[in-house]
């Protein structure tokens, strides 16, 4: 198959969109945290937790949508734990974040094993099914790429403009941005910095968990070990790539997903001369290169990583 | 009519008593000056009033109603506004965003910008303050940022305005503008608390002065009954004698900058632009300028931290090629860094370690080329501690526990002990109290008598006019021609600081005519 054909194939673009979905949720979640001045390295674990808890909910007889809400709730809970350490106690955001990732990942598998016995064939649920939007899905090419996806994909695409609107057009979004730029200014205007930051971290973590849940409830139908597979870290990098802007985050997620979709197809189509590991490596190498180019221009939130302590002498 | 009553407020930070049983009142339409040295507790008191801090005891009443402690939103709602010394603005946001933050309910679904802009232009008309709402704060000058801070407070209908050292970063002209605005506000019925340690400003703007020393109120006086000397004595607690400056015949040049340029980082402005400067022995050259106009680059250059992109630096007539701090120190180029906490000393290391660290690799402090001679070091340190009157419990205590004045004495001791030929004194008395200021100035003048040439960088025009023999002004990385200090006024320097460097030539012509 020719490389050019690959790009003209609607299946490639539809796959790109599917691969991008968890990244879109995760990157937006991380972006919201960081815009409020808190780095959340718990993302990898929170995504795992979201993947597990949403799936378990449905497996135990719950409905898909409430399962999604449950995953978000569990994610927010881990966001709260992170907030207690870094927002209220002002501890190192790196250390707490890594700790959250280890805790949440381990706890996911532990819970999973506690609730389900080990078996050779993994237990499955019925995940979200593709919904074809009438008329639009009949359009050639575009219909197949955009309008025959699962509801969670539509949700991911809808959430980008929503986050943009909230961050840039509402007083709440302004407060979140200010918490990441100069928390003292927020306090001087009579707004509680700690609540704003905690709220942002919880909301961001909920989004991360939904991103994780996408994998078990929409892309796939089972939960297994190592499922998130570094997607959380990719999201952290994408936030920098996006210069902390949600619109660019969407572009970044699609770009990364596109390369990933490409490498899967290139693996299949290429002769055996190139080892498949090379293709596996491709998205990561390219994202490092993209970061090198973009990060120099990145305008990071000024108060990122800086704890705010009330009533302390500066 | 009393609008504010502070009753018996006390506040400690650990063992440090910042405010002790402070009571004061403020009337409608009054300007009350809070005078005191650095660390006297002025800012702490205002931070308690505005709700940043919670007092250990005491009460605050605004318009007869008690203010809940530690709540900035309650203070704002009661009509208290504060313009912080370190601006509370976000560089990456627009002026409008900074102003309206917190004024619209967080649950609302839309920021109402049209209404906000209308309100801003109404306020601009009422008070004569103009801000450009759509500009990024990062693009504003310091004076403009302060106007945004004031606008923030007015926007929230403040009736009591706290200004914490508002003139510290302004040129004399900008200060005039600020004072005009303040008089306007008083006419509108606002009450103002003005924090400062600049006596002439307090005499100009206030109706009443309350003096704080070491966390306590030590006196109160109607401004009409006060003069500079009375206020200075109240503030310091004893009569203040200023060191006598004698202009000496300058000797040979010790430092000469010839057509020096320093490029900024990629995409930034040029830091120093074709600068020429000469400092002779027996001479103090004062460098004036608004912060951020290239002083830092000049300081780094003369400390050996920065290599010029173009031009030559000559030391005692010889061009310098090797820009390294260690070589500079060895040759006799001493420097008092701008930020003593960040680059002057290592706070967590002991006093003796900090004293030796510039001479570390010299004998007898250094043994066999790699060992510290502990005994010799302590002896060396003890000698300097005594000679420079550094007050400390023992030389083994962490340096960060020293007061600002004693820390600065430590730095002076370290740099002056081997009679340097050139001294870069970058903001040498910033944040010090009057006693320590006098000590530092006396040391600098003594060094000048011994033959050192000194470049004194300062934002305090009074200090420059009192100490320097010549003044140069820096603006956007360019230097004015040097002017003898006799017959030049703070106003002239202000004109140049605002960008009119050519004013120096006019003054010079006027003098020779």
């Amino acid at each position: 198959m020719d490389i050019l054909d690959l790009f003209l194939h609607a299946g490639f673009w539809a796959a790109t969109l599917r691969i991008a979905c968890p990244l879109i949720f995760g990157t937006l979640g991380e972006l919201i945290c960081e815009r409020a001045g808190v780095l959340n390295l718990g993302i990898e674990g929170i995504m795992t937790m979201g993947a597990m808890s949403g799936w378990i909910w449905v497996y135990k007889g719950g409905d898909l949508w409430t399962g999604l809400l449950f995953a978000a709730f569990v994610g927010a809970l881990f966001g709260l734990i992170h907030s207690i350490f870094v927002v209220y106690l002002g501890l190192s955001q790196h250390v707490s974040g890594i700790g959250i990732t280890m805790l949440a990942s381990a706890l996911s598998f532990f819970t999973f094993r506690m609730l389900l016995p080990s078996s050779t064939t993994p237990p499955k649920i019925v995940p979200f099914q593709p919904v074809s939007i009438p008329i639009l899905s009949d359009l050639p090419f575009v219909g197949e790429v955009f309008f025959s996806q699962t509801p969670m994909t539509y949700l991911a695409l809808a959430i980008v403009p929503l986050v943009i609107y909230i961050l840039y057009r509402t007083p709440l979004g302004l407060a979140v941005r200010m918490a990441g730029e100069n928390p003292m200014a927020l306090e001087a205007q009579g707004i509680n910095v700690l609540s704003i930051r905690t709220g942002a971290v919880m909301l961001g973590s909920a989004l991360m968990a939904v991103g994780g849940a996408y994998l078990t409830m929409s892309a796939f139908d089972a939960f297994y070990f190592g499922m998130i597979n570094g997607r959380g870290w990719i999201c952290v990098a994408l936030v920098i790539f996006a210069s902390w802007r949600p619109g660019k985050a969407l572009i970044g997620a699609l770009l990364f997903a596109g390369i990933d979709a490409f490498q899967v197809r290139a693996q299949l189509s290429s002769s055996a001369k190139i080892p498949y590991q090379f293709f596996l490596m491709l998205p990561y190498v390219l994202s490092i290169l993209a970061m090198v180019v973009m990060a120099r221009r990145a305008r990071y939130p000024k108060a990122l990583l800086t704890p705010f302590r009330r009533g302390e002498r500066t | 009519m009393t609008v504010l009553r502070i009753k018996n407020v006390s506040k400690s930070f650990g063992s440090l008593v910042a405010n002790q049983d402070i009571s004061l009142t403020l009337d409608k339409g009054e300007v009350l000056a809070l005078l005191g040295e650095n660390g006297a507790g002025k800012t702490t008191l205002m931070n308690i009033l505005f709700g940043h801090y919670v007092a250990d005891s005491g009460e605050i009443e605004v318009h007869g109603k008690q203010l809940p402690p530690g709540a900035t939103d309650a203070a704002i709602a009661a009509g208290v506004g504060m313009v912080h010394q370190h601006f509370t603005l976000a560089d990456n946001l627009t002026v409008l965003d900074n102003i309206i933050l917190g004024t619209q309910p967080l649950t609302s679904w839309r920021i109402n910008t049209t209404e906000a802009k209308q309100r801003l232009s109404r306020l601009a008309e009422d008070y004569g303050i103009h801000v450009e709402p759509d500009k990024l704060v990062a693009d504003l000058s310091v004076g403009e940022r302060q106007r945004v801070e004031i606008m923030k407070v007015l926007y929230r209908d403040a009736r009591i305005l706290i200004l914490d050292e508002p003139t510290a970063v302004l040129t004399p002209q900008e200060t005039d503008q600020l004072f005009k605005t303040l008089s306007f506000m008083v006419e509108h019925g606002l009450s103002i608390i003005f924090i400062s340690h600049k006596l002439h400003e307090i005499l100009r703007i206030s109706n009443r002065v309350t003096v704080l020393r070491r966390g306590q109120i030590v006196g109160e006086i109607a401004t009409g009954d006060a003069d500079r000397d009375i206020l200075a004595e109240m503030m310091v607690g004893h009569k203040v004698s200023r060191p006598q400056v004698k202009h000496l015949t300058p000797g040979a040049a010790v430092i000469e900058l010839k057509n020096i340029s320093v490029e900024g980082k990629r995409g930034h402005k040029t830091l120093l632009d074709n600068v020429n400067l000469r400092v002779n022995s027996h001479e103090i050259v004062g460098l004036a300028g608004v912060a951020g106009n290239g002083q830092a680059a000049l300081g780094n250059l003369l400390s050996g931290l920065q290599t010029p992109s173009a031009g030559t630096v000559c030391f005692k007539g010889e061009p310098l090629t090797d820009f390294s701090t260690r070589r500079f120190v060895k040759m006799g180029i001493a420097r008092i860094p701008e930020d003593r906490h960040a680059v002057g000393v290592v706070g967590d290391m002991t006093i003796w370690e900090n004293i030796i660290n510039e001479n570390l690799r010299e004998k007898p402090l250094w043994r066999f080329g790699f060992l510290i001679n502990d005994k010799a070091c302590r002896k060396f340190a003890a000698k300097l501690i005594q000679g420079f009157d550094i007050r400390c419990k023992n030389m083994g205590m962490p340096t960060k526990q020293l007061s600002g004045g004693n820390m600065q004495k430590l730095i002076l001791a370290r740099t002056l002990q081997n009679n340097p030929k050139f001294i870069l004194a970058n903001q040498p008395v910033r944040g010090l109290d009057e006693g320590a200021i006098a000590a530092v100035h006396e040391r600098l003048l003594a060094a000048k008598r011994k033959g050192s040439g000194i470049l004194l960088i300062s934002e305090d025009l009074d200090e420059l006019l009192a100490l320097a023999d010549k003044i140069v002004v820096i603006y956007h990385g360019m230097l004015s021609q040097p002017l003898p200090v006799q017959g030049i006024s703070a106003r002239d320097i202000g004109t140049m600081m605002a960008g009119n460097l050519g004013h120096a030539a006019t003054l010079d012509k006027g003098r020779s005519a």
Side-chain angles (χ1 to χ4, degrees):
Chain A
M1 189 164 68
D2 198 2
I3 297 281
L4 197 65
D5 283 352
L6 202 154
F7 289 109
L8 292 174
H9 187 50
F12 166 75
W13 295 101
T16 297
L17 206 53
R18 278 198 303 275
I19 298 171
C21 270
L23 300 177
I24 294 171
F25 284 115
T27 308
L28 288 180
E30 183 68 32
L31 187 140
I32 291 173
C33 296
E34 293 190 21
R35 267 303 175 113
V38 179
L39 177 72
N40 191 349
L41 292 183
I43 181 168
E44 182 80 9
I46 293 171
M47 284 180 84
T48 312
M49 202 69 201
M52 192 279 297
S53 44
W55 185 88
I56 281 282
W57 180 274
V58 179
Y59 185 77
K60 292 285 176 193
D63 156 62
L64 279 167
W65 287 106
T66 48
L68 211 53
L69 278 180
F70 179 65
F73 171 77
V74 173
L77 221 54
F78 278 87
L80 180 65
I81 299 174
H82 188 52
S83 300
I84 290 170
F85 286 130
V86 304
V87 177
Y88 287 91
L89 300 176
L91 303 178
S92 159
Q93 299 185 359
H94 290 100
V95 174
S96 169
I98 302 270
I100 295 283
T101 281
M102 288 163 72
L103 172 73
S105 307
L107 204 59
S108 305
F109 304 125
F110 181 69
T111 316
F112 184 70
R113 272 284 156 269
M114 290 291 283
L115 295 177
L116 295 169
S118 184
S119 69
T120 44
T121 48
K124 289 182 175 170
I125 59 165
V126 181
F128 282 106
Q129 298 300 314
V131 175
S132 296
I133 295 180
I135 306 165
L136 288 176
S137 63
D138 296 335
L139 291 171
F141 197 76
V142 179
E144 194 182 339
V145 177
F146 287 107
F147 302 107
S148 311
Q149 300 276 6
T150 69
M152 277 194 78
T153 308
Y154 301 131
L155 183 67
L157 293 176
I159 235 160
V160 179
L162 185 70
V163 168
I164 294 176
Y165 181 86
I166 292 177
L167 270 182
Y168 294 97
R169 292 277 178 268
T170 66
L172 184 67
L174 178 59
V176 168
R177 282 184 290 144
M178 190 57 106
E181 293 288 341
N182 185 351
M184 191 62 195
L186 204 57
E187 158 144 327
Q189 292 279 58
I191 300 175
N192 189 326
V193 179
L194 304 185
S195 335
I196 292 287
R197 283 191 162 176
T198 303
V201 172
M202 287 178 71
L203 181 69
S205 302
L207 275 181
M208 293 168 190
V210 170
Y214 177 90
L215 292 172
T216 49
M217 296 169 69
S218 182
F220 202 56
D221 51 11
F223 174 80
Y224 59 87
F225 195 85
M227 174 140 223
I228 301 302
N229 196 17
R231 282 185 179 81
W233 309 133
I234 293 294
C235 293
V236 175
L238 282 175
V239 172
I240 302 168
F241 175 82
S243 260
W244 289 268
R245 294 184 168 271
K248 285 191 189 164
L250 173 66
I251 295 169
L254 288 172
L255 200 66
F256 183 87
I259 300 167
D260 205 16
F262 168 76
Q263 66 90 4
V264 173
R265 281 158 182 76
Q267 264 185 56
L268 297 175
S269 65
S270 80
S271 56
K273 276 186 188 150
I274 308 170
Y276 77 97
Q277 286 93 341
F278 175 81
F279 293 103
L280 273 179
M281 183 179 76
L282 209 56
Y284 301 96
V285 171
L286 289 176
S287 61
I288 288 173
L289 286 178
M291 288 275 295
V292 170
V293 177
M294 299 297 288
R296 298 181 67 116
R297 269 178 280 159
R299 207 152 70 167
Y300 62 94
K302 281 253 169 78
L304 184 62
L305 298 176
T306 321
F308 180 79
R309 297 186 178 95
R310 281 212 73 203
E312 205 158 89
R313 301 198 96 187
T314 45
Chain B
M1 193 181 80
T2 305
V3 291
L4 168 72
R5 197 184 294 278
I6 294 178
K7 284 193 255 180
N8 311 98
V9 163
S10 296
K11 171 83 183 169
S12 313
F13 294 98
S15 60
L16 178 83
V17 180
N19 285 158
Q20 194 181 347
D21 198 26
I22 289 184
S23 301
L24 58 82
T25 58
L26 179 69
D27 289 341
K28 192 176 177 200
E30 185 186 35
V31 180
L32 171 71
L34 267 189
L35 173 66
E37 297 193 308
N38 287 295
K42 303 165 300 208
T43 301
T44 302
L45 182 65
M46 290 304 109
N47 278 338
I48 291 171
L49 166 58
F50 191 59
H52 284 312
Y53 297 163
V54 180
D56 299 335
S57 62
E59 284 172 12
I60 294 168
E61 267 178 24
V62 178
H63 298 296
K65 266 191 235 144
Q66 197 170 326
L67 209 58
T72 44
D73 50 347
I76 292 169
V80 180
M82 181 156 173
V83 174
H84 297 74
Q85 183 182 7
H86 304 288
F87 298 150
T88 54
L89 298 171
D91 285 355
N92 291 341
L93 301 185
T94 64
V95 169
L96 189 73
D97 281 346
N98 273 285
I99 292 173
I100 61 174
L101 173 74
T103 59
Q104 297 179 12
L106 290 178
T107 48
S108 129
W109 266 103
R110 209 169 71 82
I111 293 175
N112 195 336
T113 44
T114 23
E115 203 187 289
K117 279 186 185 170
Q118 278 168 8
R119 197 168 143 71
L120 270 189
S121 56
R122 258 203 318 278
L123 284 168
E125 258 171 55
D126 283 355
Y127 292 96
I129 308 179
H130 293 278
V131 294
E132 289 176 64
D134 294 322
K135 257 194 170 178
L136 271 187
V137 169
D139 299 333
L140 301 183
S141 72
V142 179
E144 288 171 311
R145 285 175 200 220
Q146 188 173 60
R147 283 203 285 282
V148 175
E149 280 279 351
I150 293 174
M151 194 54 116
K152 252 166 77 177
V153 172
L154 292 175
Y155 193 90
R156 311 211 67 170
D157 286 322
R159 306 306 297 163
I160 298 168
L161 182 63
I162 307 164
L163 293 153
D164 190 359
E165 306 261 3
T167 60
V169 291
L170 302 182
T171 64
Q173 279 78 355
E174 282 174 323
T175 303
D176 284 349
Q177 188 60 45
L178 171 69
F179 282 6
K180 238 180 252 167
T181 310
L182 294 187
S183 334
F184 230 80
M185 292 178 181
V186 171
E187 279 169 36
H188 278 64
L190 271 74
S191 311
I192 293 172
I193 299 180
F194 185 89
I195 301 180
S196 183
H197 59 246
K198 291 188 186 170
L199 303 175
H200 60 276
E201 286 173 0
I202 284 183
L203 288 167
R204 219 175 113 194
I205 189 80
S206 70
N207 306 114
R208 193 156 57 95
V209 187
T210 294
V211 185
L212 265 80
R213 198 192 313 143
R214 292 194 189 139
Q216 282 173 296
I217 289 186
V218 290
E220 204 184 274
I221 187 167
T223 310
D225 302 333
D227 65 21
R228 255 187 108 97
D229 291 336
I230 295 176
L231 289 182
E233 202 182 324
M234 283 170 83
M235 175 165 80
V236 183
H238 53 82
K239 278 229 186 306
V240 184
S241 55
R242 303 208 161 251
Q244 290 300 308
V245 179
K246 248 188 24 216
H247 295 289
L248 305 167
T249 326
V254 283
I255 277 275
E256 248 183 308
L257 305 185
K258 290 177 186 164
N259 304 11
I260 288 283
S261 291
V262 173
E263 294 299 325
K265 276 193 201 128
R266 219 165 51 105
H268 287 73
K269 295 178 285 199
T270 306
L271 299 173
L272 290 177
D273 190 356
N274 200 18
V275 161
N276 288 286
L277 180 69
R278 178 185 160 135
V279 181
N280 300 319
S281 80
H282 293 296
E283 181 182 68
I284 298 181
V285 175
L287 181 82
V290 177
N293 269 296
Q295 290 96 326
L298 190 61
N300 287 342
L301 181 81
L302 292 173
S303 321
L305 289 164
Q306 167 93 54
T307 313
S309 339
T312 40
V313 182
C314 293
F315 178 63
K316 294 198 289 187
E318 299 287 318
L320 294 174
T321 47
D322 180 12
F323 283 81
S324 95
T325 46
R326 186 162 137 68
R327 266 193 59 76
F328 271 40
V329 170
K330 247 187 144 168
M331 282 189 304
I333 301 180
R335 78 261 189 247
I336 301 164
E338 178 177 4
D339 186 340
R340 58 181 161 271
H341 297 278
V343 291
V345 298
V346 184
D348 286 314
M349 290 174 77
T350 64
I351 293 172
W352 72 266
E353 284 170 324
N354 272 292
I355 289 181
I356 62 158
N357 84 7
E358 254 180 21
N359 306 80
L360 187 57
R361 284 193 248 174
E362 317 280 319
K363 279 180 177 170
L365 306 182
W366 196 240
R367 265 204 299 197
F368 311 128
F370 68 102
L371 286 179
I372 290 174
N373 184 342
D374 205 80
K375 222 169 159 187
C377 288
R378 285 172 184 273
K379 212 173 120 195
F380 177 78
K383 204 178 82 194
L384 290 183
I385 288 174
Q386 212 199 357
F388 281 78
D389 188 28
I390 303 168
R391 297 198 192 144
C392 56
K393 273 188 226 124
N394 58 66
M395 66 172 82
M397 71 189 235
T399 308
K400 66 180 175 193
Q401 288 176 10
L402 289 179
S403 71
N406 280 307
M407 204 182 278
Q408 198 70 317
K409 282 190 210 160
L410 187 159
I411 292 168
L412 280 169
R414 188 173 69 192
T415 50
L416 299 183
Q417 53 87 23
N418 58 354
N419 298 320
K421 294 286 164 287
F422 171 73
I423 302 167
L424 165 74
N426 199 347
Q427 314 282 359
V429 298
R430 178 188 276 171
L432 302 186
D433 59 43
E434 290 282 341
I437 290 174
V440 170
H441 283 169
E442 192 40 63
R443 290 285 174 191
L444 290 178
L445 290 170
K448 169 181 145 180
R449 280 195 297 274
K450 274 194 188 164
S452 301
I454 299 172
L455 179 67
L456 173 65
I457 303 180
S458 177
E459 278 157 32
D460 184 348
L461 299 188
D462 293 339
E463 180 188 11
L464 290 174
L465 290 170
L467 239 58
D469 302 292
K470 282 184 201 159
I471 302 258
V472 288
V473 179
I474 192 165
Y475 177 75
H476 284 193
M478 292 177 287
L479 284 189
S480 73
Q481 66 180 81
L483 287 171
V485 75
Q486 294 90 349
I488 146 171
S489 68
R491 193 145 271 287
D492 292 326
I493 300 177
T495 307
M496 292 190 270
M497 279 163 70
N500 186 3
L501 292 179
H503 189 60
T506 346
L507 283 174
D508 213 31
K509 230 182 265 167
R511 201 189 308 264
S512 53

